[in-house]
Amino acid sequence: MVKPVKGIGYLAGWVKGAQRPAADVLALLGPAGARHTFYPPELRLRLSEFPLMRDVGAKALGALLDAAQWFSLPGGTVLERAGENDQAVFLVVAGCLGVYAADEEGQDHFVANVPAGETVGEMAVISGEAHSAKLVALRDSELLRLGKAEFKHLIARHPRLSLNLMQLLVQRLRQTTRRAVTVQRVRTIALIPLHEGIDCRALGRTLTHAFAEMSLATGALGSEATGQASDWFARYEAGHDIVLYQGDAADSLWTQQCLRQADRVVLVARLGETVASHPLANEPLGRLKRQMPELILLRGASGGLSSMPRGLIGPYGLHHYVRDGDVQDIKRLARLLTGRAVGLVLAGGGARGFAHIGVVKALREAGVPFDLIGGSSMGAIVAAGVAMGWDHDELSRRMRRAFVETNPLSDFTLPLLAVFRGKKVTKMLYDNFGDMLIEDIHPTYFCVASNLTSGRAEVLTEGPLWRALRASVAIPGLLPPIIYEKHLLVDGGLMNNFPVDIMASYARGPIVGVDVAGDEAPIAEAENFSEQSWWPLFRQQLKGAPSIVSILMRSGTVGNEAQRRLAREQADMLFDPPLVGVGLRSWQAFDRAVAEGYSHAAELIDKHGIDALMSRQGDAQALLPQWRRDLSR
């Protein structure tokens, strides 16, 4: 069968109109290997610029085209990889593919994207093993397919192809080992209105201005682009760093086009109005199962924080509040959409966690914004204060009053569940955070607890903030656990004391981590506690031997050392204040811990500069001067 001859975009337009499954498209193109097929000059020129085809010559390029199948894959469609596709190489001519891998529970997670100009499938062909990942068209895409036999024949006949392939694989290996979680590079964003009267073009103009301040060339398309072929969109996207597809109505043909073209789908609603089922809810093979759409909630300039409609979080990924006329809201949204958002992660560590306050102060003075914030145990409490927008004075005042001027761990009780009743801790948390819900916090916040029922870390992203924090600090044996949907939740430090991996799963940009756990561990002079009477034990405790409270606190916050080392490696900027002599229960050392955290962070920033500390995340360097300008305003 003859391959398509009307140039790039011809078949794509036909497939979009017919909504054919990807398997049908491949079948229509017939078997690979047909000779003397005509291809337009634009395709040959585009292929010659692929890293795989660099300096291979016209003969090798012609051989590849003779052996390949050219087909289209509508945005949101899973690439069927059964049969011959199980071992085949795909070259992305236009559009973009997403690579997704399944976890232990069978849930797919984004691993990487394959933009136009790159290839996928080589490893399965070379190793002979079945592929281990799903491929999804993140937008309308056009691909060339090379079967296993054809690909091996090509690299055997053309050594330059083989060399280029090895260089590509080495580069990918380095990227994989450098960081466990890949930040998805978003180039196309769909803004889809969920309520009548929402002007996505106006929102697009404000975002375009924010992107321009990041030195990103931004294009914006409305319904006037309806009906253009995929090569037109490919050329337009190639001329910009970011393209905004501005939907006109929730169910229009143009909106459907926007959904297929988008790397990231953002639905726009007005706060306080009912949000109906969104356009992606019923797609059997659509983007909903691969990438949850995000939600923008527009509210007035004076809108309060606690106003998120209940039950709205479930069908969406991240949600963003945008206040009318608030420049900082738009800038934060722009960073989140482009993978340049800064995540702050604070570890647990009892009284050593006071050092977080000093580190945060130094980072704020250096102009670093915090777009996503999370923590565990004591780190979760400090992180919540940062997310609430408390400045240094308010954060210090509240933490001092809560842990130094009063002692929340003093309501001893008959230890049926724990040494302390926990009422004072609960009251302290409620007095500081009130009825605030996690989903109402701006910016995005999470905290971690340990689920004794499931044996897993529990990431808390919605519900009453005080209750989530009470679970995150519920050291087993010291404080009673929190019951959540019949599960027992205790201190997050038990399973994940430094949740950088949770922050990395958002894949939104550089991560700042503050680890206060240190290497300090309880040491005892006695050889066997169980063989001693209570009086010698009491005298040893007066000299510094561990008490029951100290042992329980250490047990509840020690976490997993292997997990901690991995977390430290994943952080793009790591602070580790020394805190010599500051223990888990050194509540009276508040001022010294804060001061040491500040001096440690300020010294590193002054010595190396923010740019050098963030050098593991390329996008961060270009963004840092903008952070400083934002702070000065």
Side-chain angles (χ1 to χ4, degrees):
M1 180 180 289
V2 178
K3 299 184 182 73
V5 296
K6 294 191 177 181
I8 300 173
Y10 166 74
L11 187 61
W14 179 84
V15 171
K16 285 183 289 186
Q19 292 295 304
R20 296 264 187 166
D24 290 352
V25 176
L26 289 176
L28 285 166
L29 292 175
R35 299 290 177 179
H36 309 300
T37 302
F38 171 77
Y39 285 99
E42 301 96 301
L43 178 59
R44 292 177 180 270
L45 176 61
R46 191 173 299 176
L47 285 176
S48 68
E49 297 171 349
F50 279 30
L52 179 65
M53 305 304 296
R54 187 181 298 117
D55 300 325
V56 300
K59 185 176 181 180
L61 180 58
L64 183 146
L65 288 172
D66 281 342
Q69 289 175 291
W70 183 23
F71 68 98
S72 174
L73 197 64
T77 305
V78 179
L79 176 59
E80 179 61 55
R81 301 186 74 183
E84 292 184 351
N85 285 344
D86 182 51
Q87 303 228 330
V89 177
F90 299 93
L91 290 78
V92 183
V93 176
C96 184
L97 299 183
V99 182
Y100 294 82
D103 60 17
E104 297 176 353
E105 299 178 351
Q107 297 295 319
D108 291 336
H109 296 276
F110 174 82
V111 175
N113 59 7
V114 186
E118 294 194 12
T119 58
V120 66
E122 309 95 325
M123 292 300 295
V125 170
I126 294 172
S127 66
E129 299 177 356
H131 62 85
S132 59
K134 292 185 178 70
L135 299 178
V136 181
L138 298 182
R139 52 184 177 270
D140 286 355
S141 302
E142 295 190 8
L143 299 89
L144 287 172
R145 175 193 180 278
L146 283 168
K148 178 178 180 179
E150 290 81 10
F151 183 71
K152 287 190 171 182
H153 179 75
L154 278 171
I155 60 176
R157 292 287 301 274
H158 302 280
R160 181 67 195 190
L161 266 174
S162 181
L163 177 61
N164 289 348
L165 177 62
M166 286 189 291
Q167 291 175 339
L168 289 173
L169 295 179
V170 168
Q171 182 180 4
R172 291 176 189 173
L173 179 61
R174 287 176 177 170
Q175 292 173 346
T176 301
T177 55
R178 186 177 298 124
R179 183 155 183 169
V181 178
T182 303
V183 175
Q184 184 176 359
R185 305 301 180 202
V186 171
R187 298 193 61 224
T188 58
I189 301 167
L191 301 174
I192 309 300
L194 293 184
H195 295 138
E196 289 187 10
I198 289 179
D199 186 0
C200 285
R201 291 178 183 266
L203 178 60
R205 285 191 293 271
T206 61
L207 280 173
T208 296
H209 181 71
F211 292 146
E213 291 192 349
M214 297 179 182
S215 299
L216 295 173
T218 306
L221 294 174
S223 56
E224 67 278 358
T226 303
Q228 296 287 354
S230 61
D231 62 321
W232 185 90
F233 290 108
R235 289 194 300 271
Y236 188 86
E237 292 169 8
H240 299 86
D241 298 313
I242 297 288
V243 175
L244 295 173
Y245 285 88
Q246 301 163 149
D248 53 358
D251 55 354
S252 70
L253 291 177
W254 168 242
T255 291
Q256 296 303 315
Q257 173 81 56
C258 295
L259 294 175
R260 291 196 305 272
Q261 288 296 120
D263 291 337
R264 180 159 289 149
V265 175
V266 183
L267 308 175
V268 187
R270 277 189 293 266
L271 196 60
E273 297 186 23
T274 301
V275 177
S277 177
H278 56 71
L280 302 181
N282 300 316
E283 286 193 353
L285 291 175
R287 199 179 305 275
L288 182 62
K289 293 185 178 181
R290 300 290 166 243
Q291 175 185 310
M292 298 293 283
E294 298 181 20
L295 181 67
I296 291 177
L297 290 166
L298 304 175
R299 62 175 163 208
S302 60
L305 287 176
S306 185
S307 51
M308 178 74 176
R310 303 285 69 80
L312 196 58
I313 296 300
Y316 304 95
L318 292 181
H319 63 284
H320 317 276
Y321 292 113
V322 175
R323 288 164 289 199
D324 185 27
D326 194 307
V327 175
Q328 297 306 319
D329 281 357
I330 290 294
K331 290 184 176 181
R332 175 180 290 117
L333 176 61
R335 292 192 295 268
L336 286 163
L337 291 177
T338 56
R340 298 185 175 198
V342 181
L344 175 68
V345 182
L346 306 183
R352 296 171 65 88
F354 295 148
H356 291 314
I357 302 172
V359 174
V360 167
K361 178 183 178 182
L363 288 169
R364 281 173 166 168
E365 289 178 353
V368 179
F370 306 128
D371 302 308
L372 302 109
I373 304 173
S376 184
S377 196
M378 177 62 81
I381 296 178
V382 179
V386 176
M388 292 283 288
W390 298 343
D391 61 18
H392 176 72
D393 290 339
E394 183 175 6
L395 184 60
S396 299
R397 183 177 66 254
R398 287 177 179 268
M399 294 296 290
R400 183 193 299 276
R401 185 172 64 235
F403 292 99
V404 181
E405 297 175 2
T406 60
N407 182 8
L409 292 178
S410 59
D411 51 349
F412 288 93
T413 186
L414 185 65
L416 297 177
L417 287 175
V419 173
F420 303 108
R421 297 182 66 186
K423 280 194 171 183
K424 286 190 174 182
V425 174
T426 299
K427 183 178 185 303
M428 177 271 291
L429 293 172
Y430 189 82
D431 287 346
N432 281 281
F433 298 103
D435 294 319
M436 174 62 66
L437 300 175
I438 295 177
E439 57 266 38
D440 288 336
I441 296 176
H442 189 178
T444 299
Y445 170 84
F446 72 85
C447 67
V448 178
S450 299
N451 191 322
L452 295 182
T453 305
S454 68
R456 298 175 179 271
E458 191 81 29
V459 183
L460 303 173
T461 58
E462 56 183 298
L465 176 59
W466 70 265
R467 186 178 178 85
L469 293 174
R470 174 63 178 77
S472 190
V473 300
I475 298 173
L478 282 186
L479 293 171
I482 289 293
I483 301 175
Y484 175 75
E485 296 181 353
K486 298 184 179 180
H487 286 212
L488 297 180
L489 302 186
V490 297
D491 196 289
L494 188 66
M495 295 181 181
N496 194 340
N497 195 52
F498 193 25
V500 178
D501 58 329
I502 306 297
M503 183 65 73
S505 68
Y506 286 94
R508 292 306 175 94
I511 299 172
V512 177
V514 188
D515 184 11
V516 296
D519 298 320
E520 185 175 312
I523 300 175
E525 300 292 338
E527 295 183 1
N528 193 334
F529 287 133
S530 63
E531 295 180 358
Q532 300 185 48
S533 62
W534 69 270
W535 179 244
L537 290 175
F538 179 72
R539 286 188 299 177
Q540 290 178 38
Q541 289 184 7
L542 292 178
K543 297 179 181 179
S547 66
I548 181 174
V549 175
S550 298
I551 291 173
L552 288 173
M553 285 193 69
R554 177 65 178 173
S555 300
T557 60
V558 68
N560 181 292
E561 185 59 26
Q563 184 273 337
R564 179 188 174 216
R565 286 197 299 269
L566 177 62
R568 290 168 66 90
E569 292 174 0
Q570 285 183 289
D572 297 292
M573 178 192 293
L574 177 66
F575 294 98
D576 189 4
L579 300 173
V580 177
V582 179
L584 297 174
R585 299 174 61 199
S586 300
W587 307 113
Q588 298 303 318
F590 178 88
D591 291 326
R592 181 156 66 91
V594 173
E596 289 193 17
Y598 177 80
S599 62
H600 168 77
E603 181 181 355
L604 284 179
I605 293 171
D606 290 341
K607 181 178 180 180
H608 302 290
I610 291 290
D611 293 14
L613 287 173
M614 302 288 284
S615 62
R616 293 175 61 188
Q617 178 66 34
D619 281 347
Q621 296 185 43
L623 189 60
L624 282 164
Q626 178 61 40
W627 296 347
R628 299 191 180 104
R629 288 197 297 273
D630 291 347
L631 187 73
S632 65
R633 294 176 186 175

